[in-house]
Amino acid sequence: MKPLFLKPVFKERIWGGTALHDEFGYEIPNEHTGECWAISAHPNGPSVIENGSYAGMTLDQLWREHPELFGRPDQPVFPLLTKILDANMDLSVQVHPDDAYAKVHENGELGKTECWYIIDCKEDADMIFGHNAGSREELVAQIEAGNWNELLRRVKIKPGDFFFVPSGTIHALCEGTLVLETQQSSDTTYRVYDYDRRDAQGNLRELHLEKAIDVTTVPHHDSVSEPRVEERKNAVVTTFVDSEFFTVYKWEIKGQEPFSFDDKYLLLSVIRGNGQLLHQGEQYDLNKGTNLIIPVGFGTFEIDGECEVIVSHT
C-alpha cells in the first residue's frame, strides 16, 4: 500500500496572480492563476494520481473503482476538495448554498461549507466575513441600494489564522492573501457583488442575487472554533475544526514523528518546509507544495523533517 500523490489542477481567475508559482514552484498556466485544485475529484477539475499502480487515474475514477482505499464509503462522490488560493486582487463578495438547496437548485451538487488557513497575507490585511443586516428585508434593501460599506463586515487577518465558513456566510478574500481552503467538493458560488469589475472582454461578471439572498444566513453569526493544541515529542498537532463535513489539522513537525489513522483516509498538503514520509521501509519526499492522500488501512507512518502540513478527513 502506497500514499497517493496528486497532480494539481490550476484555474485562471480575474483576481489571480503568480504566488502559486513564486511560493510553491507550481507550473502555472499564466499570470492570473488564482486557484490550485490540489486534491480534487470534482468533474470541473479532477486531480490525477502520479505514482504507483494507480498512476494516470483521476481521483474521481479511483473513488468509483477502488472504494476499498477509502473505507468503502457510502457517499456517491468524493466529499472533499483542497485548494490553494492566490488572492492577488479582491475576490467577489459571495455566498454558498447548503446541501439541501444545492441538491434542488444545482442539479444534485453538494453544498459548500469551507474553511481557510491563512498561509500568508500582506501587512494589515483583512477579509469580508459576514454582514450587518438584522433581517432579510434589510439585507435586500442594503444590496439594492449598494450600501456595501454598511452591509459588509471586515475582519483583520494575519498568517496562521483559521476561519470556518459555513454555507450561508457572505464572504470574500481580499488582495494580498494566500490561503489553503478545505471545502466540500462543490463548485457552486453565488456572487453578491464584484466591485463592478469587467472581464477581458469588457463584460461585467454575472451576479446571482436571487439565489444569494435565498441562502444567506440572517442575521450573521460567527462560527467560532477553538483550536485544540497537542504537544508531541517532535510535532505540534493543532485541530482547527471538527465538523460534520470535515476535520482539519495543522501538523508542525520538527524531527521524526509517528502518526496513525487506520480507519480514516487523510488528505495532506505540505505548506512549508520539507521532509520525508516513512512507511514499511519506503521513503517518500514531502516538499513544499506536495499533495497526497493516505488510504484507509495504511497503518502507522512517520514524517521526518521540518515542515508544516495541513491535514483533513471526513
Side-chain angles (χ1 to χ4, degrees), residues 174-248:
C174 295
E175 177 186 345
T177 310
L178 186 65
V179 168
L180 185 137
E181 177 176 282
T182 303
Q183 59 158 92
Q184 291 181 269
S185 184
S186 171
D187 198 23
T188 299
T189 293
Y190 300 149
R191 288 194 200 103
V192 180
Y193 177 55
D194 194 40
Y195 312 98
D196 299 320
R197 281 187 294 206
R198 296 184 182 272
D199 62 20
Q201 288 71 46
N203 301 312
L204 293 170
R205 294 204 297 169
E206 182 183 5
L207 302 179
H208 315 94
L209 292 180
E210 184 176 343
K211 289 180 176 180
I213 290 164
D214 277 352
V215 305
T216 296
T217 300
V218 183
H220 169 80
H221 77 274
D222 288 333
S223 296
V224 179
S225 56
E226 290 294 330
R228 301 195 309 271
V229 179
E230 178 191 354
E231 301 271 357
R232 299 190 180 185
K233 182 180 178 182
N234 292 311
V236 177
V237 175
T238 302
T239 304
F240 287 123
V241 66
D242 186 2
S243 76
E244 63 179 294
F245 303 106
F246 42 67
T247 301
V248 179

Side-chain angles (χ1 to χ4, degrees), residues 66-95:
H66 291 279
E68 70 278 3
L69 297 173
F70 307 98
R72 301 192 179 279
D74 56 9
Q75 300 109 312
V77 296
F78 188 81
L80 299 180
L81 173 53
T82 300
K83 295 180 183 177
I84 305 175
L85 307 177
D86 170 18
N88 186 54
M89 298 170 58
D90 292 348
L91 273 67
S92 60
V93 179
Q94 57 195 246
V95 65

Side-chain angles (χ1 to χ4, degrees), residues 127-312:
M127 68 178 189
I128 292 167
F129 192 70
H131 62 84
N132 295 312
S135 67
R136 202 163 301 277
E137 291 75 18
E138 184 183 354
L139 176 71
V140 171
Q142 295 277 42
I143 289 173
E144 290 179 346
N147 292 334
W148 303 112
N149 289 336
E150 294 177 34
L151 177 63
L152 301 174
R153 297 172 70 242
R154 288 187 174 267
V155 177
K156 292 292 182 185
I157 62 172
K158 62 184 185 304
D161 283 349
F162 179 87
F163 295 89
F164 181 57
V165 189
S167 59
T169 305
I170 287 182
H171 63 275
L173 295 173
C174 295
E175 177 186 345
T177 310
L178 186 65
V179 168
L180 185 137
E181 177 176 282
T182 303
Q183 59 158 92
Q184 291 181 269
S185 184
S186 171
D187 198 23
T188 299
T189 293
Y190 300 149
R191 288 194 200 103
V192 180
Y193 177 55
D194 194 40
Y195 312 98
D196 299 320
R197 281 187 294 206
R198 296 184 182 272
D199 62 20
Q201 288 71 46
N203 301 312
L204 293 170
R205 294 204 297 169
E206 182 183 5
L207 302 179
H208 315 94
L209 292 180
E210 184 176 343
K211 289 180 176 180
I213 290 164
D214 277 352
V215 305
T216 296
T217 300
V218 183
H220 169 80
H221 77 274
D222 288 333
S223 296
V224 179
S225 56
E226 290 294 330
R228 301 195 309 271
V229 179
E230 178 191 354
E231 301 271 357
R232 299 190 180 185
K233 182 180 178 182
N234 292 311
V236 177
V237 175
T238 302
T239 304
F240 287 123
V241 66
D242 186 2
S243 76
E244 63 179 294
F245 303 106
F246 42 67
T247 301
V248 179
Y249 313 86
K250 179 172 67 171
W251 295 352
E252 299 172 89
I253 297 163
K254 291 186 177 180
Q256 187 168 323
E257 184 68 28
F259 296 92
S260 180
F261 285 78
D262 230 22
D263 62 337
K264 305 281 188 185
Y265 61 92
L266 305 179
L267 286 61
L268 279 68
S269 294
V270 183
I271 59 169
R272 283 195 180 85
N274 300 281
Q276 293 80 39
L277 187 151
L278 311 174
H279 180 250
Q280 297 182 351
E282 298 285 339
Q283 177 175 308
Y284 307 89
D285 289 336
L286 299 179
N287 300 314
K288 182 178 178 180
T290 298
N291 303 283
L292 64 148
I293 293 175
I294 301 292
V296 165
F298 194 70
T300 300
F301 60 95
E302 296 178 318
I303 296 180
D304 186 13
E306 291 200 13
C307 56
E308 292 183 16
V309 187
I310 301 296
V311 182
S312 62

Side-chain angles (χ1 to χ4, degrees), residues 9-131:
V9 176
F10 298 96
K11 301 285 186 176
E12 181 180 358
R13 296 291 185 254
I14 193 171
W15 41 263
T18 62
L20 294 171
H21 171 268
D22 301 340
E23 292 296 322
F24 294 98
Y26 291 137
E27 294 183 15
I28 59 175
N30 56 50
E31 295 185 350
H32 296 283
T33 303
E35 300 189 7
C36 165
W37 289 26
I39 304 175
S40 167
H42 195 280
N44 291 354
S47 307
V48 174
I49 313 301
E50 291 192 300
N51 68 304
S53 57
Y54 306 114
M57 293 180 69
T58 58
L59 182 53
D60 57 329
Q61 182 184 2
L62 194 67
W63 177 261
R64 291 192 304 270
E65 297 182 12
H66 291 279
E68 70 278 3
L69 297 173
F70 307 98
R72 301 192 179 279
D74 56 9
Q75 300 109 312
V77 296
F78 188 81
L80 299 180
L81 173 53
T82 300
K83 295 180 183 177
I84 305 175
L85 307 177
D86 170 18
N88 186 54
M89 298 170 58
D90 292 348
L91 273 67
S92 60
V93 179
Q94 57 195 246
V95 65
H96 306 303
D98 63 12
D99 287 344
Y101 191 93
K103 183 177 181 180
V104 173
H105 296 273
E106 304 299 337
N107 300 314
E109 175 94 319
L110 290 176
K112 191 174 175 184
T113 285
E114 61 192 16
C115 61
W116 299 330
Y117 177 79
I118 310 298
I119 299 172
D120 200 7
C121 60
K122 67 179 186 180
E123 191 173 348
D124 204 33
D126 63 7
M127 68 178 189
I128 292 167
F129 192 70
H131 62 84

